[in-house]
Amino acid sequence: MTDPAVAGSGAGAGAPRGLDLDRLAAYLGARRPELAAAPLRAHLIAGGKSNLTYLLRSGGHEVVLRRPPLGHVLATAHDMAREHRIISALAPTAVPVPEALLFCPDTDVIGAPFYLMEKVDGEVFRGRSQTDPLTDRQRRDLATAMMDTLAALHAVEPAAVGLADFGRPEGFLGRQVRRWAGQLDQSRSRPLPGVDELRDALAGSVPEGANTGRIVHGDYRLDNLLATVGTGPSASAPVSVRAVLDWEMATLGDPLADLGLLLTYWTVLGDSDAVVDNPVADGLGPRAGFPSGAELIDRYAGRSDVDVGPLHWHVALGCFKLAVICEGIHYRHTLGQTLGGGFDRIGELVAPLVEHGLRAVREK
């Protein structure tokens, strides 16, 4: 369960875990007084399994606060400054993002860096209870809008929006393997059969990465989008992506990494009997009535100049990366450092992800 909304008080008077509303109100009062009117209220927004997201209410204003998770935090994995910078940079582009309002690097305010962004109206489609009522046309249109938005992101020239130094494109894929291998070592708390074999197979077969140098979201999927779907009886009710969220792993690199991870969510977690009703991708993929992964790639390829080529290695990387992320969340859950529901089953996803990654990396 998530923390309920609470009236503005200090950390010891019922504020959601991860926030000190007295300190936060004082900080905002000095910098954005219109956001600090008493009473300051907050509640944790459900759904995120990594960085924490809160809705703040102050007077007539509603804004969103993002901060790193509690406790066990992997190096470079939850960088608030990077999230704030990239949504600021993408604001004038065709990529829909919330307006960035304020960044606070001072850990004395709430115990960690954080930033504020505007609250965007829309729905995050996380589960079957939300996607089952959609018509077939609406599900197809939602998947199409998701792929068109990803193509728009990969079309942005980094230097044109001040992001030329946002990452190091050269050697991106090799560094990805090493990075997630290192983060796996920091999150090990139990035997993980096959994961070292998958790591070594990826490291020994890194492709050239001809597309490197694009802006990469790092965790692009349907439930990291805010979308609107018409509520009328028409099967052709309009669908639009209002905002792309959760930019914590964004960088400059190979856009096929985004596609590979998206297919991992869509076809591994979203269309596999091994992970039915899982807490990460319950409402995604063909099993939930959406188009196939092959159709997604066709749509993207028709809107992008990126050479999609063989994606099997990138799917294998997506499986490895997501297995490491799930293992890290599982580890934090065992330490009592997660907020919200669904965390007790995250660890169950690691084994099928590793198994599918091994099959994908061996494809020719």
Side-chain angles (χ1 to χ4, degrees):
M1 299 294 292
T2 58
D3 297 273
V6 293
S9 301
R17 289 181 64 197
L19 289 186
D20 184 316
L21 293 183
D22 281 345
R23 288 181 179 273
L24 179 59
Y27 182 86
L28 294 179
R31 292 160 180 83
R32 296 294 297 264
E34 76 278 14
L35 303 180
L40 181 63
R41 299 169 62 88
H43 73 260
L44 179 71
I45 298 175
K49 297 292 187 287
S50 185
N51 285 344
L52 300 176
T53 306
Y54 304 84
L55 179 65
L56 300 183
R57 294 188 177 95
S58 174
H61 295 278
E62 288 188 333
V63 297
V64 173
L65 182 148
R66 288 269 287 172
R67 61 149 291 162
L70 307 180
H72 180 68
V73 178
L74 299 172
T76 77
H78 306 280
D79 192 331
M80 296 294 97
R82 288 181 67 82
E83 280 201 40
H84 182 267
R85 180 183 175 189
I86 195 166
I87 65 172
S88 299
L90 291 174
T93 73
V95 182
V97 290
E99 179 186 358
L101 302 175
L102 176 149
F103 170 65
C104 174
D106 186 357
T107 60
D108 289 338
V109 179
I110 65 168
F114 68 90
Y115 72 92
L116 300 183
M117 59 185 174
E118 71 167 327
K119 177 181 178 291
V120 178
D121 291 331
E123 186 170 3
V124 177
F125 289 90
R126 294 192 177 97
R128 294 292 292 267
S129 64
Q130 296 167 289
T131 58
D132 281 351
L134 300 178
T135 65
D136 290 342
R137 173 68 179 273
Q138 287 171 333
R139 281 191 286 265
R140 180 167 294 278
D141 287 351
L142 189 55
T144 296
M146 175 180 69
M147 300 315 295
D148 290 353
T149 301
L150 184 60
L153 170 64
H154 292 162
V156 174
E157 171 58 44
V161 294
L163 294 176
D165 62 343
F166 195 65
R168 294 180 293 132
E170 299 78 11
F172 167 76
L173 294 175
R175 285 198 310 276
Q176 282 286 293
V177 177
R178 294 191 296 273
R179 174 190 177 184
W180 292 105
Q183 295 199 355
L184 171 66
D185 289 339
Q186 295 181 54
S187 300
R188 288 181 190 265
S189 61
R190 56 179 180 160
L192 299 172
V195 74
D196 293 324
E197 182 183 353
L198 176 56
R199 175 202 61 204
D200 294 343
L202 286 166
S205 59
V206 177
E208 292 293 330
N211 301 302
T212 294
R214 312 293 180 103
I215 299 173
V216 174
H217 179 275
D219 195 22
Y220 192 84
R221 62 183 195 265
L222 181 62
D223 54 337
N224 270 340
L225 307 179
L226 269 172
T228 55
V229 175
T231 57
S234 171
S236 60
V239 172
S240 66
V241 175
R242 299 294 308 279
V244 182
L245 307 174
D246 291 7
W247 292 89
E248 64 195 79
M249 290 186 284
T251 188
L252 301 187
D254 191 325
L256 290 185
D258 275 342
L259 290 176
L261 185 60
L262 177 57
L263 286 177
T264 299
Y265 284 113
W266 204 259
T267 62
V268 180
L269 297 186
D271 197 30
S272 169
D273 292 338
V275 287
V276 173
D277 298 328
N278 71 81
V280 174
D282 176 44
L284 308 182
R287 192 171 56 231
F290 285 95
S292 68
E295 292 176 272
L296 298 191
I297 298 307
D298 285 346
R299 179 70 185 192
Y300 174 87
R303 298 294 188 278
S304 173
D305 64 348
V306 173
D307 178 12
V308 296
L311 282 171
H312 63 91
W313 190 92
H314 298 274
V315 171
L317 175 63
C319 289
F320 181 60
K321 175 178 174 177
L322 190 52
V324 173
I325 292 171
C326 288
E327 188 63 20
I329 295 171
H330 167 77
Y331 181 46
R332 290 201 303 275
H333 178 68
T334 64
L335 299 176
Q337 296 171 346
T338 53
L339 301 183
F343 294 102
D344 56 326
R345 295 190 56 210
I346 292 289
E348 299 173 12
L349 304 183
V350 176
L353 283 165
V354 170
E355 180 181 350
H356 190 96
L358 285 169
R359 288 199 301 269
V361 80
R362 293 166 182 156
E363 288 182 19
K364 301 296 182 183

